[in-house]
Amino acid sequence: MDDETRRKYLEAGEAVQKAKETARSACEPGAGFQEIAQKVEQAVRDAGAEPAFPVNLSRNDEAAHYTPGPGTGRTLEAEDVLKVDIGAHVDGYIADTAVTLNTSGEHDERIKQNRNLLEKAVEFVEAGVTVGELGTHIQREAPGDLNVIQNLTGHYLGRYVQHAGVSVPNVNNTSEHEFKTGDAVAIEPFLTDGTGQVRNGKPGNIYRLESDSGVRGRTQRKLLDRIKEYNGLPFASRWLDPSGRERMALQKMVQSGNLEHYDILTESRSGTVYQAEHTVLVEENGCTVTTGDI
Ligand code: MN
Ligand code: MN
């Protein structure tokens, strides 16, 4: 990795660190999810980066991919277990990080266990370690009274690519893929008091451009031009502030396969889900965390 690329990864990391601070102060009981999302994403922009994906504000048994839609009225309750998953990029180089927040204090112990598990995972990563060894390590270090979610994984990051090919499971696996110096990787163990599996729930408000071929009609083509500005990264429907006609055009583009529409992922037995995530740059000895404290 050249110095310029490294600097951009670190700058993206600084942006999400600021956005995490913003999230912590914005997440109080009664706060609107719409308002929290706007503040967090604005913090990313104020830091000189761009959101790499819409902030995910999945709560309780939702594990991932919930972001408020245009006009969503959802508000935060004291007992909510909220996963704030934030992405920023500088020139396509991504920082991806997540914290779990709960204002009631009832989940502090589990949130801490999750954070400790992430720290143990990060300490284990260095050039030469395999993805299989890391998964085994994470599963072994997980607290005995909670399950690691098996079908949610960390992942490599690429330029303008959030999930760049290699998955990094949080459980025992046979991958012999070795981490190499300069790899950018998101490490993200999820814990739950449920079964440890997520399933696809309702479609949410996150989309991604899959293909721009065969898009017809003025409304769809104009929308496509705006969507292309995200360079293939996921986006929120609320970012487009769509009119009724544009909402229909979005749906058509999903049906025609031009857009991927993300389902909200929920724990299969409605267990409460906890998440902690860092982005790291792999080094000869150890790794550099770009995303600060959690
Ligand atoms: Mn994430
Ligand atoms: Mn991630």
Side-chain angles (χ1 to χ4, degrees), residues 53 85-86 96-98 155 162 188 275 277:
F53 52 83
D85 193 334
I86 310 170
D96 185 358
T97 190
H155 49 93
Q162 192 200 349
E188 50 181 315
Q275 177 194 17
E277 179 177 23

Side-chain angles (χ1 to χ4, degrees), residues 15-47 51 54-55 57 67-68 84 86-87 238-239:
V16 293
Q17 290 178 49
K18 288 183 182 152
K20 272 190 279 197
E21 286 168 29
T22 302
R24 284 185 197 284
S25 53
C27 288
E28 21 177 75
F33 277 46
Q34 193 78 243
E35 179 193 343
I36 298 169
Q38 272 163 16
K39 284 182 181 169
V40 171
E41 290 166 359
Q42 191 56 43
V44 168
R45 295 190 186 96
D46 289 346
V55 60
L57 297 172
T67 204
V84 183
I86 310 170
R238 64 187 153 76
W239 291 358

Side-chain angles (χ1 to χ4, degrees), residues 90-150:
V90 171
D91 195 28
Y93 299 102
I94 298 169
D96 185 358
T97 190
V99 292
T100 300
L101 302 179
N102 167 252
T103 59
S104 76
E106 276 170 41
H107 297 263
D108 286 0
E109 183 58 29
R110 287 174 173 189
I111 290 170
K112 194 171 141 198
Q113 285 175 316
N114 195 174
R115 197 166 53 215
N116 290 344
L117 183 58
L118 174 62
E119 270 158 23
K120 283 177 180 162
V122 164
E123 281 166 16
F124 192 78
V125 174
E126 65 179 2
V129 166
T130 68
V131 166
E133 287 164 349
L134 176 62
T136 303
H137 179 71
I138 293 172
Q139 195 168 30
R140 194 171 45 220
E141 295 292 342
D145 57 337
L146 294 173
N147 285 314
V148 175
I149 295 185
Q150 302 194 16

Side-chain angles (χ1 to χ4, degrees), residues 220 247-258:
Q220 286 188 52
R247 284 184 204 207
M248 279 172 58
L250 266 182
Q251 271 321 107
K252 279 189 187 153
M253 288 165 76
V254 171
Q255 282 156 17
S256 59
N258 293 102

